[in-house]
Amino acid sequence: MNVRIEASWKDALNSEWDKDYFIALTGFVRERYGQRIVYPPAGLIFAAFDACPFENVKVVILGQDPYPGAGQANGLSFSVNPGVELPRSLRNIYKELEDDLGCLPPSTGDLSGWARQGVLLLNSTLTVDAGAPASHQNHGWETFTDAAIRRLAEDRENLVFILWGSYAQRKGEFIDRSRHCVIASPHPSPLSASRGFFGSRPFSRANAYLASKGVEPIIWGRG
């Protein structure tokens, strides 16, 4: 199957394209886009991979679903386009960033600057019906994104995996902690941020680990 995705990821995930689950997933997604409003726009389904080639990945931040509101989802987990009001989880991420590093967060909700530095902003499910969270779960995306995480965990060394919430933590259970840094905390959602997300210092911890391995840290904010 010819999948339009960044070349290094196309090669890394080559074994997935012709599997039965991915063929069925492709049919499901095409049908959904043809029948209703689906986010993100079809050209941005693989935006996280396109923005962060396989060999450039330093940090992985796992999300669950794309935002289901109009104009929100742009293919990067937790990110929204410039001019879009910050979702509550992203507001909490920015609050923790400021408390952690003492820097101003990005000037908009667009996290593509992180992605260009090597932060893979990966949702578990890459598409969603408008206004219907979790509507595309259990149709194959989870198997596909598990394969992407597994390729990173097995083929790369010294990555940082930031797992916010129990869902992301279950998804990352197989990551070898002796080869990679895993930073786990409650989710930044308003329902759970006060239970341990605030004060977890994921950004400074990620940078400290990268620096300890001789890897250029991420510039998370504006100084």
Side-chain angles (χ1 to χ4, degrees):
M1 180 178 295
N2 184 25
V3 178
R4 295 181 180 179
I5 191 173
E6 192 276 331
S8 65
W9 278 107
K10 188 170 188 176
D11 182 60
L13 296 171
N14 184 56
S15 62
E16 303 303 307
W17 309 130
D18 292 318
K19 289 183 177 179
D20 289 345
Y21 89 87
F22 192 82
I23 294 170
L25 170 63
T26 300
F28 167 78
V29 170
R30 284 176 176 164
E31 179 181 316
R32 275 308 223 248
Y33 274 92
Q35 292 179 348
R36 60 192 71 192
I37 298 173
V38 176
Y39 300 126
L44 297 178
I45 291 174
F46 295 114
F49 300 99
D50 295 338
C52 191
F54 184 82
E55 292 300 331
N56 291 2
V57 176
K58 301 177 182 179
V59 178
V60 181
I61 297 180
L62 288 180
Q64 191 163 347
D65 277 353
Y67 295 121
Q72 290 183 305
N74 62 12
L76 308 178
S77 64
F78 297 102
S79 175
V80 293
N81 288 324
V84 176
E85 183 178 358
L86 298 186
R88 289 177 294 175
S89 290
L90 186 53
R91 288 184 184 277
N92 287 339
I93 291 169
Y94 280 2
K95 181 180 185 302
E96 177 61 19
L97 170 60
E98 194 165 357
D99 291 344
D100 183 4
L101 293 177
C103 64
L104 293 173
S107 58
T108 73
D110 177 16
L111 302 181
S112 60
W114 293 1
R116 287 191 295 270
Q117 296 179 73
V119 181
L120 180 66
L121 295 160
L122 182 64
N123 280 316
S124 176
T125 302
L126 301 189
T127 55
V128 68
D129 287 350
S135 52
H136 290 200
Q137 289 183 9
N138 302 316
H139 287 279
W141 278 131
E142 296 89 345
T143 302
F144 174 73
T145 51
D146 277 353
I149 297 166
R150 192 173 294 278
R151 287 274 59 78
L152 287 169
E154 294 180 355
D155 296 352
R156 297 285 312 281
E157 298 281 348
N158 303 326
L159 301 181
V160 178
F161 291 86
I162 297 178
L163 309 180
W164 287 329
S166 57
Y167 183 92
Q169 289 160 29
R170 288 194 301 271
K171 196 170 179 70
E173 284 178 342
F174 61 81
I175 298 167
D176 185 346
R177 270 66 170 172
S178 70
R179 296 176 60 185
H180 305 285
C181 174
V182 175
I183 298 172
S185 78
H187 195 275
S189 160
L191 298 175
S192 56
S194 62
R195 300 174 189 165
F197 172 76
F198 291 135
S200 62
R201 305 189 65 198
F203 307 103
S204 61
R205 290 165 66 191
N207 277 357
Y209 178 82
L210 293 174
S212 76
K213 301 300 181 180
V215 178
E216 185 78 19
I218 304 299
I219 300 172
W220 296 103
R222 290 182 283 161

